[in-house]
Amino acid sequence: MESRKEVDSLTKWDGSAYVPHVSIDLVIFGFHDGQLKVLLLHWRTGTDWLLPSGFIHHDEDVVDAAHRSLRERTGLQAVFLQQFHTFGEAVRFKHFTKQETMIRLGFPGDTDEPLFRRHVSIGYYALVEFSEVVPTPDQFTDECRWWDVDAVPPLLFDHNDMIKLALKTLRRQLSYQPIGYNLLPEKFTMPELQRLYETILGQPLDRRNFQKRMLSYDILERLEERKTGGAHKAPYLYRFDKAKYDNVLEEGMSFVG
Amino acid sequence: MESRKEVDSLTKWDGSAYVPHVSIDLVIFGFHDGQLKVLLLHWRTGTDWLLPSGFIHHDEDVVDAAHRSLRERTGLQAVFLQQFHTFGEAVRFKHFTKQETMIRLGFPGDTDEPLFRRHVSIGYYALVEFSEVVPTPDQFTDECRWWDVDAVPPLLFDHNDMIKLALKTLRRQLSYQPIGYNLLPEKFTMPELQRLYETILGQPLDRRNFQKRMLSYDILERLEERKTGGAHKAPYLYRFDKAKYDNVLEEGMSFVG
DNA sequence: TATCATTGTGTTAAAAATACGCATTAATAC
DNA sequence: GTATTAATGCGTATTTTTAACACAATGATA
């Protein structure tokens, strides 16, 4: 279905530059139009979508490799990035077998292709500001774009499971930590923040209790401005107090230390 | 300091049988004499202690490799085993540099020794019944024994950090899940269960509120027997209702499903 | 048989989470 | 202009959960 030329360029991947058998997979969440989105890549030779992934240089920390991959796909520097699980199954093919997958991706026959060797993959999820992302494909893909989390198609490998687990982890953390800084623009209204929470948690929240809880964290700063333009009463604009926000996060989520 | 013969036998390790650059580290918790214990190994050629670790066969799931290693160190089959973090720093030496570590462990000079290549390590913690464990060293070690968690010496690599993080994870899970089944003998009293919780959490708990909460989980079965022999009033014996226990755990902690 | 430390089983108070009421406001319709 | 409408700001009850505390019962020891 694809020319040999394209397939050749795919195999130019220099596996020797990376730690073999180890990879990173990224579940990058964004929020737009009242919908939680996830960033997916489209394989050049084929019809399939998958999660952005990355490999680790020999002298590179895994977390740095994750940040690097994230930067390459989004253009963003500092984001909320959290390891959530390591996927260590020997066979990580799900909807298609290894053979089927290799054919679909343009690697017929060559069962020793380094890209398709067994990989232990470390899953990270990221929260990014939708409007600031410049979705950028990598050398294996020709398209990078946002998908609604509840409209994600069957993905390659076990990537659907990864999204599920990342979402589950995000929900748990959201329930007892004031995450959300990285998903919204600098200034936002309380209803907007609430909609974000409702979307991630998948359930409606009481307007008044939500506001009380958010303010109780003492990480929000209310501005004098109000958001005009919409019909009805103009809501106040808020802004995260970065210092206090980081502080709360540090206490609640920090590892080793 | 050690004969060449011993060092040679150490290097007989056949790295080709395993996925390179990936390892497993185990934080095995036990409970005895009102103290939380962790199982450590003593390196044959040297004075240092470290966590039990393992490697992954090419066709083996990581979680299976973890169970296998755990079995080899303890003799136990079914235990509570939970992945808690993957340690991906390029340099994981802490108290000693790589060179110092290699000398201490009897690998002078040979900087290419496969055992000392960079490893991404997947951390698991396990809860086991102290009295049923048969501590067993591996090919690199000459002793395997329990240590009080708060008397653990400086360990090789980043293993002290691993214990810290495993303990933190255990505490968090204990706070909102009825873990403990695997740390106690089949029959136990409520005070014994409470002491276990107090030890892990590191704080005293109210006797009456503790009992109420434990019973509210509806996973304990009170037996007719009482524990005699001790001075004072004889407490009832309890037993976990395995089916209900597994059920609660499944709902609260299951991944990918 | 009295003593003592510990267990079994409550009840009460405080705090947190949840449910709900009503006045205010800014765009829209008339 | 003025009334209407739907959403916001800010408040108060209610329920549920958590934490604090009291007292009788028991079994070995003195």
Coordinates of all heavy atoms in Angstrom, one line a residue, chain A residues 7-45:
Chain A
V7 N 9.0 3.4 3.4 CA 9.3 2.4 4.4 C 10.8 2.4 4.8 O 11.2 2.3 5.9 CB 9.0 1.0 4.0 CG1 9.4 -0.1 4.9 CG2 7.4 0.9 3.8
D8 N 11.7 2.6 3.8 CA 13.1 2.7 4.0 C 13.4 3.8 5.0 O 14.2 3.6 5.9 CB 13.8 2.9 2.7 CG 14.1 1.6 2.0 OD1 13.8 0.6 2.6 OD2 14.5 1.6 0.8
S9 N 12.8 4.9 4.8 CA 13.2 6.1 5.6 C 12.8 5.8 7.1 O 13.4 6.3 8.0 CB 12.5 7.3 5.1 OG 11.2 7.4 5.5
L10 N 11.8 5.0 7.2 CA 11.4 4.7 8.6 C 12.4 3.9 9.3 O 12.7 4.1 10.5 CB 10.1 3.8 8.5 CG 8.8 4.6 8.3 CD1 7.6 3.6 8.3 CD2 8.5 5.6 9.3
T11 N 13.1 3.0 8.5 CA 14.0 2.1 9.2 C 15.4 2.8 9.4 O 16.3 2.2 10.0 CB 14.3 0.9 8.3 OG1 14.8 1.3 7.0 CG2 13.0 0.1 8.0
K12 N 15.4 4.1 9.1 CA 16.7 4.8 9.4 C 16.8 5.1 10.9 O 17.9 5.6 11.3 CB 16.7 6.1 8.6 CG 17.1 5.9 7.1 CD 17.8 7.1 6.6 CE 17.9 7.1 5.1 NZ 16.9 7.9 4.4
W13 N 15.9 4.8 11.6 CA 15.9 5.0 13.1 C 17.1 4.4 13.7 O 17.4 3.2 13.5 CB 14.6 4.4 13.7 CG 14.6 4.6 15.2 CD1 14.5 5.8 15.9 CD2 14.7 3.6 16.2 NE1 14.5 5.6 17.2 CE2 14.6 4.3 17.4 CE3 14.9 2.2 16.2 CZ2 14.7 3.6 18.6 CZ3 14.9 1.5 17.4 CH2 14.8 2.2 18.6
D14 N 17.9 5.2 14.4 CA 19.2 4.7 14.9 C 19.0 4.3 16.4 O 19.1 5.0 17.3 CB 20.2 5.8 14.9 CG 21.6 5.4 15.4 OD1 21.7 4.1 15.5 OD2 22.4 6.2 15.7
G15 N 18.6 3.0 16.5 CA 18.4 2.5 17.9 C 19.6 2.5 18.8 O 19.4 2.5 20.0
S16 N 20.8 2.5 18.2 CA 22.0 2.5 19.0 C 22.2 3.7 19.9 O 22.9 3.7 20.8 CB 23.2 2.2 18.2 OG 23.5 3.4 17.4
A17 N 21.5 4.8 19.5 CA 21.6 6.0 20.3 C 20.8 6.0 21.6 O 20.9 6.9 22.4 CB 21.1 7.2 19.4
Y18 N 20.0 4.9 21.7 CA 19.1 4.9 22.9 C 19.3 3.6 23.7 O 19.8 2.6 23.2 CB 17.7 4.9 22.4 CG 17.3 6.1 21.6 CD1 17.2 6.0 20.2 CD2 17.2 7.4 22.2 CE1 16.9 7.2 19.4 CE2 16.9 8.5 21.4 CZ 16.7 8.4 20.0 OH 16.5 9.5 19.3
V19 N 18.8 3.7 24.9 CA 18.8 2.5 25.8 C 17.8 1.5 25.2 O 16.7 1.8 24.9 CB 18.3 2.8 27.2 CG1 18.2 1.6 28.1 CG2 19.2 3.9 27.8
P20 N 18.3 0.3 24.8 CA 17.4 -0.7 24.1 C 16.4 -1.2 25.1 O 16.6 -1.2 26.3 CB 18.4 -1.8 23.7 CG 19.5 -1.7 24.6 CD 19.6 -0.2 25.0
H21 N 15.3 -1.6 24.5 CA 14.2 -2.3 25.3 C 13.4 -1.4 26.3 O 12.6 -1.9 27.0 CB 14.8 -3.5 26.0 CG 15.3 -4.6 25.1 ND1 14.4 -5.4 24.3 CD2 16.5 -5.0 24.8 CE1 15.2 -6.2 23.6 NE2 16.5 -6.0 23.8
V22 N 13.7 -0.2 26.3 CA 13.0 0.7 27.2 C 12.5 1.9 26.4 O 13.1 2.4 25.5 CB 14.0 1.3 28.2 CG1 13.2 2.2 29.2 CG2 14.7 0.2 29.0
S23 N 11.2 2.2 26.6 CA 10.6 3.4 25.9 C 9.7 4.1 26.9 O 9.5 3.7 28.0 CB 9.8 2.9 24.7 OG 8.7 2.1 25.2
I24 N 9.3 5.3 26.4 CA 8.4 6.2 27.2 C 7.1 6.3 26.4 O 7.2 6.5 25.2 CB 9.1 7.5 27.4 CG1 10.2 7.4 28.4 CG2 8.1 8.6 27.8 CD1 11.1 8.6 28.4
D25 N 6.0 6.3 27.0 CA 4.8 6.7 26.3 C 4.1 7.8 27.1 O 4.1 7.9 28.3 CB 3.8 5.5 26.3 CG 4.3 4.5 25.2 OD1 4.2 4.9 24.0 OD2 4.7 3.4 25.5
L26 N 3.6 8.8 26.3 CA 3.0 10.0 26.8 C 1.5 10.1 26.6 O 1.1 10.0 25.5 CB 3.7 11.2 26.2 CG 5.2 11.4 26.4 CD1 5.7 12.6 25.6 CD2 5.5 11.6 27.9
V27 N 0.8 10.3 27.7 CA -0.6 10.6 27.6 C -0.7 12.1 27.9 O -0.6 12.6 29.0 CB -1.4 9.8 28.5 CG1 -2.9 10.1 28.4 CG2 -1.2 8.3 28.3
I28 N -0.9 12.9 26.8 CA -0.9 14.4 26.9 C -2.3 14.9 26.9 O -3.0 14.8 25.9 CB 0.0 15.0 25.8 CG1 1.4 14.4 25.8 CG2 0.0 16.5 26.0 CD1 2.2 14.9 24.6
F29 N -2.7 15.4 28.1 CA -4.1 15.9 28.2 C -4.1 17.4 27.9 O -3.3 18.2 28.4 CB -4.6 15.6 29.6 CG -4.9 14.2 29.9 CD1 -4.2 13.5 30.9 CD2 -5.9 13.5 29.2 CE1 -4.4 12.2 31.2 CE2 -6.1 12.1 29.5 CZ -5.4 11.5 30.4
G30 N -5.2 17.8 27.2 CA -5.5 19.2 27.1 C -7.0 19.4 27.3 O -7.7 18.4 27.4
F31 N -7.4 20.7 27.4 CA -8.8 21.0 27.7 C -9.3 22.1 26.7 O -8.7 23.1 26.7 CB -9.0 21.4 29.1 CG -10.4 21.6 29.5 CD1 -11.3 20.5 29.6 CD2 -10.9 22.8 29.9 CE1 -12.6 20.6 30.0 CE2 -12.2 23.0 30.3 CZ -13.0 21.9 30.3
H32 N -10.3 21.8 26.0 CA -10.8 22.8 25.0 C -12.3 22.5 24.7 O -12.7 21.4 24.6 CB -10.0 22.7 23.7 CG -10.3 23.8 22.7 ND1 -10.0 25.1 23.0 CD2 -10.8 23.7 21.5 CE1 -10.4 25.8 21.9 NE2 -10.9 25.0 21.0
D33 N -13.0 23.6 24.6 CA -14.4 23.5 24.3 C -15.2 22.6 25.2 O -16.0 21.8 24.8 CB -14.6 23.0 22.9 CG -14.6 24.2 21.8 OD1 -14.6 25.3 22.3 OD2 -14.4 23.8 20.6
G34 N -14.8 22.7 26.5 CA -15.5 21.9 27.5 C -15.2 20.4 27.3 O -16.0 19.6 27.8
Q35 N -14.1 20.1 26.6 CA -13.8 18.6 26.4 C -12.4 18.3 26.8 O -11.5 19.1 26.5 CB -14.0 18.3 24.9 CG -15.4 17.7 24.6 CD -15.5 16.3 25.2 OE1 -14.6 15.6 25.4 NE2 -16.8 15.9 25.5
L36 N -12.2 17.2 27.4 CA -10.8 16.7 27.7 C -10.3 16.1 26.5 O -10.9 15.2 25.8 CB -10.8 15.7 28.9 CG -9.5 15.4 29.5 CD1 -8.8 16.6 30.1 CD2 -9.6 14.3 30.5
K37 N -9.1 16.5 26.1 CA -8.5 16.0 24.8 C -7.2 15.3 25.1 O -6.5 15.5 26.1 CB -8.1 17.2 23.9 CG -9.3 18.2 23.8 CD -10.1 17.9 22.6 CE -11.2 19.0 22.3 NZ -12.0 18.7 21.2
V38 N -6.8 14.4 24.2 CA -5.5 13.7 24.3 C -4.8 13.8 22.9 O -5.5 13.7 21.9 CB -5.7 12.3 24.8 CG1 -6.6 11.5 23.8 CG2 -4.4 11.6 25.0
L39 N -3.6 14.0 23.0 CA -2.8 14.2 21.8 C -2.4 12.8 21.2 O -1.7 12.0 21.8 CB -1.5 15.0 22.1 CG -0.9 15.8 20.9 CD1 -1.9 16.8 20.3 CD2 0.3 16.6 21.5
L40 N -2.7 12.6 19.9 CA -2.4 11.3 19.3 C -1.6 11.6 18.0 O -1.7 12.6 17.4 CB -3.6 10.5 18.9 CG -4.5 10.1 20.1 CD1 -5.7 9.3 19.6 CD2 -3.6 9.2 21.1
L41 N -0.8 10.5 17.6 CA 0.0 10.6 16.3 C -0.6 9.6 15.3 O -1.1 8.5 15.7 CB 1.4 10.2 16.6 CG 2.2 11.2 17.5 CD1 3.5 10.6 17.9 CD2 2.4 12.5 16.8
H42 N -0.5 10.0 14.0 CA -0.9 9.1 13.0 C 0.3 8.5 12.2 O 1.1 9.2 11.7 CB -1.8 9.8 12.0 CG -2.3 9.0 10.9 ND1 -1.7 9.0 9.6 CD2 -3.3 8.1 10.8 CE1 -2.4 8.1 8.8 NE2 -3.3 7.6 9.5
W43 N 0.4 7.2 12.2 CA 1.5 6.5 11.5 C 1.5 6.8 10.0 O 0.5 6.8 9.4 CB 1.4 5.0 11.8 CG 2.7 4.3 11.5 CD1 3.1 3.8 10.3 CD2 3.8 4.2 12.4 NE1 4.4 3.3 10.5 CE2 4.9 3.5 11.7 CE3 4.0 4.5 13.8 CZ2 6.1 3.2 12.4 CZ3 5.2 4.2 14.4 CH2 6.2 3.5 13.7
R44 N 2.7 7.2 9.5 CA 2.8 7.6 8.1 C 2.3 6.6 7.2 O 1.5 6.9 6.2 CB 4.3 7.9 7.8 CG 4.6 9.3 8.2 CD 6.1 9.6 8.0 NE 6.6 9.0 6.8 CZ 7.9 8.7 6.6 NH1 8.8 9.1 7.5 NH2 8.3 8.2 5.5
T45 N 2.7 5.3 7.3 CA 2.3 4.3 6.4 C 1.2 3.5 7.1 O 1.5 2.4 7.6 CB 3.5 3.4 6.0 OG1 4.0 2.8 7.3 CG2 4.6 4.2 5.4

